[in-house]
Amino acid sequence: LIMGPLLVAATVVVGLLTHGAAQLLAALGTVAAGLGVSAGVSATLSVLAPYAFPDSTNPFAVGGGTAGLRGLLAAVGSFCALALVLPLLLFALLTHGPVAGLVVLGAGTVWGAAGLLLGTRLAGGILDRRGPEILAAVTPRR
């Protein structure tokens, strides 16, 4: 909810500043797909590989020995989201014109919504089955 409007605004501004208004619809479709799929992948990864944050009053504390795991999960999530959005991205890059832009916008919106719904449904099922185990994994050690 926070990133959606920011990404749309940034896409429109960059598209207008770079004189790429003709590709604006395709760019917005790609952004919608990327946002939805990334959120779905993140939801799924968060229940597949949970980790505890450090027990600290400092909200910016990064200790706890999970830096490697966090970095690996970020890389895996990024590559999974890229792989899932790649077909739409290639279509957007290979086609041009207003009709193709509308197709990419519609397909990207549906693609992103499907990725978000599928990812959260999958994550919810895993969370239902492994709830106590995940809660124990994310609880800070004392």
Side-chain angles (χ1 to χ4, degrees):
L1 292 175
I2 293 171
M3 288 304 298
L6 292 174
L7 287 172
V8 168
T11 303
V12 170
V13 167
V14 169
L16 294 176
L17 289 177
T18 61
H19 307 290
Q23 292 87 17
L24 197 55
L25 293 177
L28 288 171
T30 305
V31 165
L35 179 62
V37 167
S38 295
V41 167
S42 296
T44 304
L45 282 178
S46 69
V47 295
L48 287 176
Y51 55 87
F53 280 101
D55 187 22
S56 171
T57 57
N58 180 359
F60 302 107
V62 292
T66 59
L69 176 62
R70 288 183 296 199
L72 179 64
L73 286 176
V76 167
S78 296
F79 285 121
C80 287
L82 176 63
L84 291 170
V85 175
L86 194 59
L88 183 73
L89 181 62
L90 289 175
F91 181 77
L93 290 173
L94 296 176
T95 58
H96 301 287
V99 174
L102 283 172
V103 169
V104 173
L105 178 62
T109 303
V110 170
W111 198 293
L116 177 63
L117 291 174
L118 234 68
T120 54
R121 180 169 289 267
L122 180 63
I126 295 169
L127 184 61
D128 286 343
R129 288 189 301 279
R130 296 181 45 207
E133 178 185 336
I134 293 171
L135 182 60
V138 300
T139 303
R141 311 291 186 260
R142 295 185 187 236

